[in-house]
Amino acid sequence: MRENQQTQNSSPLKKRKVIKMAQGKEVIEGAGVRLKRVIGNNELEDVDPFLLLDEFRSDKPDDYIAGFPTHPHRGFETVTYMIEGFMEHKDSTGRSGVLKPGGAQWMTAGSGILHSEIPKQKEGFLWGFQLWVNLPADKKMTDPRYQNIEPEDIPELRTDDGVVIKVIAGKVSDTTGPVTGIETDPLYIDVTLPPKCVFTQKVQKGHSAIVYMIDGAGLLDDENNMKVGAMTGSLALFGEGDYIDVSAVDKPARFLMLSARPLNEPVTRYGPFVMNTKDQIEKAFDDYRSGKLVSATP
Ligand code: MN
């Protein structure tokens, strides 16, 4: 395969290569939820602006039933995407709802929110993801808000060779996802690739980009132009370039592809708060303890 493809104006398009592979680590979070932390562990601290990526995936109620009772957030965004099962959320803005299979919630915690996230099922399969996306320094104290996305509002593209692409945020061909107005201009897609197919996606220059294999296995290109296998549960971090290729060989591959504009700002994180300085973290704790987190103004 040619390394560079030529566009009409002759500027070469560069394929992004894998610069790091990582595996998730088992952690217990919330009131006792067993999950896999893919970003935000000691192997992969963050992928600017992504601060955390958790996968919860179990058919054992003991692994998830306790959920995440009321807790605070400040300074970033939490993004929940469900593949199977139901998750109920309630928050200090007075809103609540149930995320359904295929649904998503993009919550901008901003200056502060208190919320709970509890599985709305006593048994059965629960499978979903939570991503944390950082906010720029001057938007950390923005008003909290969220976008609830029903499963039917997530466009699903099908290519001639059977690739299925769900677009949660960002743009694939002429299809734009329903999540809008996010500071870091993210792409969040869920791709199912039949055997012997290749998927190519343009990624904005300068943006961080990852692929997280959630089912099956795929092949990616590394810096030595070798093919590297990404099995279920593997995360690939890509270097600079214009587009990413993922191919499936003898079995299907299902993966999340995420990209966003890095902030290149100092990150100071502690538990549910992600700010720029230690003083701001202490202020967040003070506000939380004194009941002022939710009403805080910049
Ligand atoms: Mn939360």
Side-chain angles (χ1 to χ4, degrees):
M1 191 183 285
R2 285 282 304 279
E3 167 64 9
N4 293 321
Q5 296 171 357
Q6 301 293 316
T7 58
Q8 281 177 335
N9 64 8
S10 291
S11 64
L13 289 181
K14 187 173 169 243
K15 188 190 283 191
R16 285 179 178 244
K17 307 291 176 59
V18 175
I19 54 172
K20 184 181 170 90
M21 296 286 295
Q23 304 296 318
K25 307 220 163 152
E26 295 250 334
V27 293
I28 307 283
E29 268 294 358
V33 178
R34 186 179 297 274
L35 48 79
K36 197 191 274 181
R37 181 147 297 161
V38 190
I39 298 174
N41 58 41
N42 52 16
E43 193 187 341
L44 191 61
E45 212 168 294
D46 65 3
V47 178
D48 188 8
F50 303 127
L51 302 159
L52 176 142
L53 177 63
D54 281 346
E55 177 177 21
F56 40 93
R57 181 179 193 163
S58 179
D59 56 7
K60 300 186 197 71
D62 282 353
D63 287 345
Y64 61 73
I65 205 80
F68 305 87
T70 305
H71 59 278
H73 291 297
R74 172 181 283 179
F76 61 102
E77 305 182 278
T78 69
V79 183
T80 308
Y81 174 51
M82 300 299 296
I83 291 183
E84 294 289 344
F86 297 83
M87 186 76 88
E88 183 170 37
H89 61 91
K90 288 183 186 154
D91 70 54
S92 49
T93 70
R95 296 197 289 179
S96 62
V98 176
L99 287 175
K100 304 181 197 73
Q105 184 199 48
W106 200 293
M107 184 184 83
T108 306
S111 58
I113 201 162
L114 293 169
H115 77 161
S116 62
E117 303 155 282
I118 308 283
K120 186 79 174 166
Q121 61 190 48
K122 294 274 180 276
E123 56 183 23
F125 192 33
L126 187 80
W127 184 17
F129 303 88
Q130 185 161 100
L131 174 73
W132 289 11
V133 184
N134 208 357
L135 283 168
D138 64 349
K139 294 285 161 52
K140 282 189 175 290
M141 294 298 280
T142 195
D143 286 341
R145 63 169 186 145
Y146 68 69
Q147 303 178 53
N148 259 349
I149 311 295
E150 296 295 330
E152 58 271 22
D153 294 331
I154 295 179
E156 195 174 286
L157 279 86
R158 282 169 189 273
T159 67
D160 291 343
D161 46 5
V163 182
V164 180
I165 308 144
K166 293 174 174 225
V167 187
I168 298 146
K171 199 173 171 192
V172 176
S173 306
D174 294 326
T175 302
T176 303
V179 176
T180 55
I182 304 300
E183 290 292 331
T184 47
D185 201 8
L187 174 78
Y188 191 149
I189 57 177
D190 170 2
V191 183
T192 304
L193 203 54
K196 299 181 179 60
C197 271
V198 184
F199 173 72
T200 300
Q201 173 64 31
K202 228 179 122 182
V203 176
Q204 284 199 51
K205 253 199 165 63
H207 283 204
S208 300
I210 56 169
V211 160
Y212 181 51
M213 194 60 58
I214 63 172
D215 236 337
L219 283 181
L220 310 162
D221 298 83
D222 75 5
E223 293 177 289
N224 303 314
N225 295 315
M226 303 290 282
K227 292 287 180 190
V228 43
M231 315 306 288
T232 304
S234 305
L235 177 136
L237 172 63
F238 290 84
E240 200 34 83
D242 301 290
Y243 69 99
I244 286 173
D245 265 3
V246 182
S247 48
V249 187
D250 52 354
K251 53 179 170 176
R254 186 173 184 182
F255 55 91
L256 305 180
M257 185 184 287
L258 307 172
S259 77
R261 179 172 58 83
L263 297 173
N264 296 309
E265 292 176 342
V267 173
T268 305
R269 60 198 288 175
Y270 197 91
F273 307 127
V274 184
M275 303 300 287
N276 301 109
T277 68
K278 206 164 158 265
D279 285 353
Q280 292 167 337
I281 291 287
E282 278 166 18
K283 174 78 164 55
F285 272 102
D286 284 350
D287 285 350
Y288 177 49
R289 279 191 217 103
S290 60
K292 288 187 289 198
L293 183 93
V294 167
S295 56
T297 45

